[in-house]
Structures are given as C-alpha cells and as structure tokens.
Amino acid sequence: MNNWKNVLIQPETTIIQVMKLIDETSMQFAAVVDDEMYLLGTVTDGDIRRGILRGLSLDSSIKEVMNATPICESDGKSTNYYEQRLKKAKLKQLPIVSGDKKLLNILFSDNLEFVDKKQNKVVLMAGGLGTRLRPLTDTLPKPMLNVGNKPILETIIEGFKNHGFTNFVISVNYKKELIMDYFQDGTHLGVNIEYIEETKRLGTAGALSLLENKPNEPFFVMNGDLLTKVNFEQLLDFHIETASCATMCVREHQYQIPYGVIETNNHQLLSIVEKPIHKSYVNAGIYVLDPIILDTIPVDKFYDMPELYKELMDKQKIVSAFPLREYWLDIGRIADYEKANWDYKEGIYD
C-alpha cells in the first residue's frame, strides 16, 4: 500500500486521537513509531477496548494499550512468502522491518487476493411480542417497525452486510409471516436468509437449539430491535484475539443517586458525597459465540443469554466483554422508538 504511513503514530498520541484515526481509515490499525521510524508497537481496535475496560482515560497515551511485541517480518523476502505468512497466521496486517527494527512497510491482507469472503452466520432474534411498544406492535412485529424509511431489521442486516457478513438466520414467532414475506430468502438485499420458527418462547439462547445447519465458525447473535454503528468485523476480531468461546457486547450505563450518600463508622460520620454518579456496564444484546457452546444449550426449553454466559463462567470458560463506544439504542419503549426516528431525522443515525 502507498498510504500505510497514514496509520503511523507517536507513543504519546492519546487514545482518543488514535480512536479517531482507526475509525477514519479503512485499515483499522495503527503502528507506533519513534522519530527515527523504529517500530515500538501496534494498536488495534481490540487493544483500545481492552484499555477502556481497564478504566484507562481516553486522554492516556497510546503506549498504555499498544502491543509492544507485534508479529512482524524482516524485509527482503518474496511477496508470496509475506502472503502465506498473513494467510497462515490469519493476520490482517504485517509490519515489514529492517534488521534493526526500523519500519519499512506494512502489508494488509485486505489488499491481497487470497482474502476469503466472510462465511460467519448472523442469527437475529425477531420473535418477541413487543408488548411495551403497543399499540404500534398490535399489527406489526417490533423488528418491522420503520426507523426512517425502512424496518429496523433491514437496517440491522444492512449494517452487517456493510462489513462483509451476508449469511443470516432470523428467529421468528409473533406475526412471523410479515417478516418472512418481506425478507424472503434475502436475494433482493444481496444476502442469504434462513429462518427458525419458534412455536413457543425459547429465549435469546434457547432458540439457537433450533438451528438445523450448525455453524462451523464463530457466529453472531443479535436482538432484532437494536440500532448500532458497531464495526462487526472489529467485534469478531476481538472475539478471536481473546480466544473466547463467548463474547458479549456491553454498554456503559450511568445513573445518579438523587441524594447525598454518606459513609459512617459506627456513629461517626466520615464523608458526604452529594448526588454521586455511578457507572456500570450493561448487556447490549449483541454476542459472538463459538459453535462448541451450542452443546450447552438445552433443547425445547426457555434459556436466555445471561443463563448461558453464567453457565460458561461457572465452567471457567473464557468469556469476554466487548465495550461499545459507538451509537447504540435499544428500541424497547415508545420513547426509544421516537428517539430512533429523531436520531435518523437529525442524521445521528442513518
């Protein structure tokens, strides 16, 4: 690539500055170098999100989260060698350095012919009753409500398609014919769509027991009433990099206690904090799962994602959290639906 130098940064560059760089470039990657072009480390979106989970400030320097021992190759080898190195190690980028570790080039797999089309399945949960959105859902299933000029579910499918994911399974129940008649096999959207039909409520994990064609690679599960601008390719990369069997997207939620909170020691008053703000991570309804976890899910039984994750954690499996920093909205109530359409109108989400 001729523009690989666009992703070079200094070690004192702030995390927020690198986030903007990664989001603005198509390479989703940055290389940390000093003034003499010595390679000090590399940064991916996953490195940044792990730093956020550790509580690092966005004003912290990028050296706090960079990978200081990245995989790289020395110069002077054949193009075919580098291509095979990328392919076998499943790397998306490969820094090329001199014998004394000066950065000479960065090769990106997206620009090489061997890159395969993404086959990962996307399971969308669209069978809920949407009771909190009545009367809007008296005649339409919630995922078919329009935000802007198209159903929520179509916007979700387009979001995945924009990142190369085209194989979908939609779990349907309530007013399923409206969803199936609209999307059919997905041909008109340039994707492949299959359906699983719940005859009773099975929950966000229990419905996966109905999958006839089991995935052979990590797959996505997402609630069909969410709007988000998350980069699904970055999410999948994070899942693979952390060697997780299950990854849950999480969203920071803030709430303020409307009173002064006190700390005491017996009768003695130690401190007063006026209306403190508490921060917690909450489940965002987007998951990546390895096929092996399907063996954990009971057949024909209500089983929600939190139950699945708890069971995996009890078994000491590697389960990860992926913090969302992009637009995200759960359309669960009338006020949320109104906000979604307002955001669309204002260009915040389109």
Side-chain angles (χ1 to χ4, degrees):
M1 289 186 64
N2 295 325
N3 58 346
W4 62 272
K5 292 185 178 179
N6 292 342
V7 298
L8 303 185
I9 56 174
Q10 296 284 305
E12 298 304 324
T13 307
T14 64
I15 291 176
I16 185 67
Q17 289 173 320
V18 179
M19 283 170 53
K20 291 178 180 177
L21 174 68
I22 286 178
D23 289 344
E24 289 170 359
T25 64
S26 61
M27 290 166 271
Q28 306 295 322
F29 168 86
V32 186
V33 297
D34 63 14
D35 292 335
E36 297 181 353
M37 287 291 288
Y38 285 99
L39 181 64
L40 304 178
T42 58
V43 183
T44 65
D45 179 80
D47 295 325
I48 291 175
R49 294 189 198 253
R50 283 186 284 272
I52 292 173
L53 284 176
R54 283 173 21 220
L56 287 178
S57 164
L58 296 183
D59 292 323
S60 302
S61 64
I62 200 64
K63 65 184 179 183
E64 297 293 326
V65 301
M66 73 178 187
N67 175 11
T69 57
I71 296 175
C72 55
E73 277 290 347
S74 58
D75 65 326
K77 298 178 181 178
S78 69
T79 300
N80 182 65
Y81 173 87
Y82 295 133
E83 289 182 353
Q84 292 304 313
R85 184 78 170 95
L86 280 159
K87 185 176 183 179
K88 289 180 180 178
K90 297 183 179 179
L91 300 172
K92 292 206 166 186
Q93 55 278 315
L94 182 64
I96 307 300
V97 297
S98 64
D100 57 356
K101 297 299 180 183
K102 277 192 176 182
L103 183 62
L104 303 175
N105 195 2
I106 304 175
L107 300 180
F108 292 88
S109 64
D110 286 350
N111 297 293
L112 300 175
E113 294 180 356
F114 65 76
V115 178
D116 296 323
K117 186 177 180 181
K118 301 179 183 71
Q119 297 299 316
N120 308 78
K121 285 186 180 291
V122 179
V123 182
L124 300 177
M125 297 299 173
L129 298 176
T131 53
R132 291 180 297 165
L133 278 168
R134 287 177 176 165
L136 297 177
T137 52
D138 285 342
T139 56
L140 279 177
K142 180 166 56 172
M144 292 301 293
L145 294 175
N146 274 12
V147 171
N149 58 2
K150 66 188 70 171
I152 299 167
L153 196 56
E154 185 173 353
T155 298
I156 293 173
I157 289 172
E158 288 179 348
F160 276 99
K161 182 183 175 185
N162 289 340
H163 293 289
F165 301 100
T166 59
N167 294 316
F168 293 88
V169 178
I170 303 179
S171 178
V172 294
N173 185 353
Y174 177 66
K175 296 190 178 299
K176 62 185 180 183
E177 67 282 353
L178 295 177
I179 295 174
M180 297 172 74
D181 287 348
Y182 184 91
F183 289 101
Q184 300 183 43
D185 64 359
T187 300
H188 64 292
L189 295 176
V191 300
N192 305 308
I193 297 179
E194 302 172 1
Y195 297 90
I196 52 178
E197 300 182 40
E198 298 181 55
T199 56
K200 64 179 181 180
R201 294 182 66 242
L202 293 175
T204 47
L208 298 177
S209 67
L210 301 178
L211 287 171
E212 292 185 4
N213 300 316
K214 305 297 184 184
N216 296 317
E217 57 279 304
F219 62 99
F220 296 88
V221 179
M222 179 171 170
N223 296 345
D225 57 358
L226 300 176
L227 290 180
T228 181
K229 289 188 175 181
V230 66
N231 184 317
F232 295 108
E233 188 173 10
Q234 290 176 349
L235 170 56
L236 180 61
D237 289 344
F238 182 93
H239 174 82
I240 294 171
E241 288 170 8
T242 53
S244 302
C245 69
T247 298
M248 175 187 291
C249 288
V250 296
R251 182 79 176 176
E252 186 177 79
H253 176 70
Q254 297 184 5
Y255 58 95
Q256 185 173 36
I257 296 179
Y259 309 103
V261 175
I262 65 172
E263 181 185 358
T264 63
N265 182 13
N266 295 324
H267 67 279
Q268 186 178 0
L269 182 62
L270 300 180
S271 68
I272 302 176
V273 180
E274 190 64 27
K275 300 180 180 178
I277 296 176
H278 288 262
K279 298 180 180 180
S280 301
Y281 282 110
V282 298
N283 182 358
I286 308 169
Y287 317 90
V288 183
L289 306 173
D290 274 0
I292 191 68
I293 65 90
L294 292 172
D295 297 334
T296 305
I297 298 173
V299 177
D300 200 34
K301 177 182 175 184
F302 185 90
Y303 194 66
D304 251 337
M305 278 295 179
E307 294 179 80
L308 172 62
Y309 276 76
K310 184 178 185 303
E311 185 167 348
L312 293 173
M313 289 185 285
D314 288 344
K315 293 178 178 178
Q316 298 184 331
K317 301 294 185 180
I318 300 177
V319 178
S320 296
F322 181 84
L324 297 183
R325 52 183 175 81
E326 300 85 353
Y327 180 95
W328 176 90
L329 180 63
D330 176 4
I331 304 176
R333 303 167 300 170
I334 294 290
D336 301 321
Y337 181 62
E338 292 173 345
K339 175 174 169 49
N341 276 288
W342 173 261
D343 289 348
Y344 183 89
K345 179 182 177 181
E346 294 297 308
I348 298 172
Y349 186 95
D350 54 26

